[in-house]
Amino acid sequence: ILFDNGLITAIGTDVRLPAGTRVVDVSGKHIYPGLIDAYSTVGISEIGSIDVSSDTNELGDFNPNVRAEVAVNAESRHIGTTRSAGVLVTLTTPGGGLISGMSSALNLEGWTWEEMSLESAAALNVNWPNPNPRRRGRGGGRGGGRGGGAGGGAPTYEERVQELKDFFAEARAYRDAVAAGEEVRSDSRYAAMIPALNGEIPVVVAADGAAQINDAITWGQGEGVRIVIRGGRDAIHVADRLGSENIPVILTSTMAAPGRAYEGYDGAYAMPARLYEAGVKFAISGGAGALYTHRLPWEAGVAVAFGLPEEEAVKAVTINAAEFMGLDDRIGSLETGKHATLLITTGNP
C-alpha cells in the first residue's frame, strides 16, 4: 500500500516505489481500513459526573446549525484510548431537542479540532418523539413558546411530530425563497437545513420502537430526505420494510441486555445477524458515550459470536458507516485515491 500526502496512490503485490520512499515492513500482519464509529460523543464529553466537561446538548428543540466539531476538545483522554482500539474516525454527534444538530466526522489525530475535522456537517440528527413516554417533560418548541397540549400541559406525540413537520416546512420555504433571490432575513438554523433538504447529507433519526421507526420512515419519505435510523432496538420487527425501502440502520445496542421480560438474552447480540439475513443494511456503533467508543471492535465481535459473518462485521464498522454518511469516497476501504486511514493488526480487529 503506497501513499503520499495522506492519500493511497497504489495497492498491489508489484508496486513500483518512487525514489526515497519510506518502507515499513509489516510482513505476517493484517491491514484493515480504520474503524468508523457512526455515533459517538468523543471529543465533546469527558467525565459523566462533571457537567462542565460535557458539551453534548444545547438548549431548545431546534438546533440544526449546531456543529459538533467546534466544541471538540482535541486533548480529550478518550481520543487516545479510542484510537488505540483501532477506531480512527468518529461521527461525533450532539444531542437534545427534536433536531439536535450536525454530526461531524473526525479523524482522531491532530492537535486542534480544525486538524481533526474530516467533514464539518456530515449528517443532520433528529430525535423522533416517543409515542408512549413513561413520563412527559414540559417540552416546548422554538424559543420555549411552541408546543403545549390542551390545557397547557405537555405536548402530545402528534403535536411533537407536527412541530417537526412545521420546522422542515419553514426551512424548505426559506431555501426556496433564497434560491428565488427574494429578500429574506438570514436565519442560520434554516440555512443549515438546506443540505439535508436537498439530499446532500442524510437525516439520521433516533428511533427504537417499531412504531417510531415506521412513523419516522413515513415522515422521511414525505419530506423527500435521505433517512438513516439510529438505535433500532425493534428494527427486526420492521425488517421487511427497512430492506424493501433501502433504509439503513445504525445499531447502538449490540451488547445491551434485553429491555423486556419476554425477550431472549441474545436479542441485541443476534440482531445484526438477523438483520443481515433479512437484507437490511446496517452499521454498528460503540454506543453514544465517549467512554464506550473504544468498545466498537467488541460490539462487532459479539455480533460475529452470535451469527454475523466476519466479513459483514468488518463492513459494519468500516465501509457501511462511510456509505451511510456519504464519506465512502474518502474512507471505509483500502482503495487508490482514498485516505490512508488504516489499521495494522496481528489478527482480526
Side-chain angles (χ1 to χ4, degrees), residues 233-273:
R233 182 191 63 204
D234 286 349
I236 194 60
H237 300 304
V238 290
D240 288 345
R241 186 180 186 189
L242 291 166
S244 64
E245 299 180 18
N246 199 30
I247 307 294
V249 178
I250 299 172
L251 295 173
T252 59
S253 57
T254 306
M255 294 204 295
R260 304 178 179 109
Y262 61 82
E263 293 177 334
Y265 80 97
D266 61 346
Y269 311 152
M271 178 74 76

Side-chain angles (χ1 to χ4, degrees), residues 55 70 72 78 82 101 104 109 122 137 148-149 197 220 260 269 289 297 301 304-305 311 327 349:
D55 197 7
V70 299
V72 165
H78 297 304
T82 299
S104 296
E109 181 178 11
L197 294 173
R260 304 178 179 109
Y269 311 152
V304 174
E311 185 72 14
L327 303 171

Side-chain angles (χ1 to χ4, degrees), residues 10-331:
I11 299 179
T13 57
D14 188 23
V15 175
R16 179 173 296 179
L17 304 183
T21 299
R22 179 188 174 195
V23 178
V24 179
D25 186 352
V26 293
S27 298
K29 293 186 172 63
H30 303 259
I31 304 180
Y32 291 88
L35 307 187
I36 303 169
D37 191 337
Y39 177 48
S40 173
T41 57
V42 163
I44 59 174
S45 179
E46 198 69 14
I47 303 171
S49 61
I50 301 179
D51 290 344
V52 295
S53 73
S54 178
D55 197 7
T56 304
N57 293 359
E58 295 294 329
L59 296 175
D61 280 341
F62 298 94
N63 294 294
N65 52 316
V66 167
R67 291 179 294 124
E69 63 172 3
V70 299
V72 165
N73 171 22
E75 298 182 9
S76 168
R77 296 298 293 271
H78 297 304
I79 291 174
T81 302
T82 299
R83 191 173 58 218
S84 69
V87 183
L88 306 187
V89 176
T90 63
L91 273 298
T92 294
T93 302
L98 283 175
I99 301 178
S100 53
M102 297 289 180
S103 293
S104 296
L106 300 178
N107 285 312
L108 295 190
E109 181 178 11
W111 292 102
T112 65
W113 67 262
E114 292 93 341
E115 289 182 7
M116 295 170 64
S117 180
L118 176 64
E119 186 66 42
S120 175
L124 178 70
N125 290 273
V126 169
N127 297 306
W128 195 257
N130 187 350
N132 297 299
R134 292 182 179 177
R135 183 177 62 185
R136 287 193 177 97
R138 176 70 184 173
R142 281 154 281 170
R146 196 66 171 256
T156 66
Y157 172 70
E158 291 76 13
E159 289 170 336
R160 295 295 274 170
V161 172
Q162 189 60 50
E163 287 181 32
L164 189 60
K165 291 179 178 179
D166 290 345
F167 191 87
F168 266 73
E170 292 163 9
R172 189 173 288 105
Y174 177 90
R175 177 200 64 182
D176 295 344
V178 171
E182 299 177 14
E183 287 190 16
V184 295
R185 187 177 65 180
S186 178
D187 192 307
S188 61
R189 299 176 308 162
Y190 295 149
M193 295 281 290
I194 294 175
L197 294 173
N198 291 344
E200 298 165 11
I201 62 174
V203 176
V204 178
V205 183
D208 277 312
Q212 282 184 301
I213 295 171
N214 271 318
D215 286 354
I217 294 173
T218 300
W219 165 81
Q221 292 171 337
E223 297 288 352
V225 296
R226 288 198 291 132
I227 189 173
V228 177
I229 297 296
R230 187 184 76 221
R233 182 191 63 204
D234 286 349
I236 194 60
H237 300 304
V238 290
D240 288 345
R241 186 180 186 189
L242 291 166
S244 64
E245 299 180 18
N246 199 30
I247 307 294
V249 178
I250 299 172
L251 295 173
T252 59
S253 57
T254 306
M255 294 204 295
R260 304 178 179 109
Y262 61 82
E263 293 177 334
Y265 80 97
D266 61 346
Y269 311 152
M271 178 74 76
R274 297 175 68 190
L275 291 179
Y276 170 67
E277 292 170 358
V280 177
K281 295 182 179 180
F282 63 90
I284 294 173
S285 96
L291 286 171
Y292 305 119
T293 295
H294 75 283
R295 301 193 316 184
L296 185 62
W298 290 273
E299 298 273 0
V302 165
V304 174
F306 283 80
L308 183 67
E310 186 176 296
E311 185 72 14
E312 295 302 320
V314 173
K315 290 179 182 179
V317 291
T318 55
I319 190 62
N320 288 3
E323 287 180 353
F324 300 167
M325 298 298 177
L327 303 171
D328 53 309
D329 61 329
R330 286 167 279 177
I331 57 174

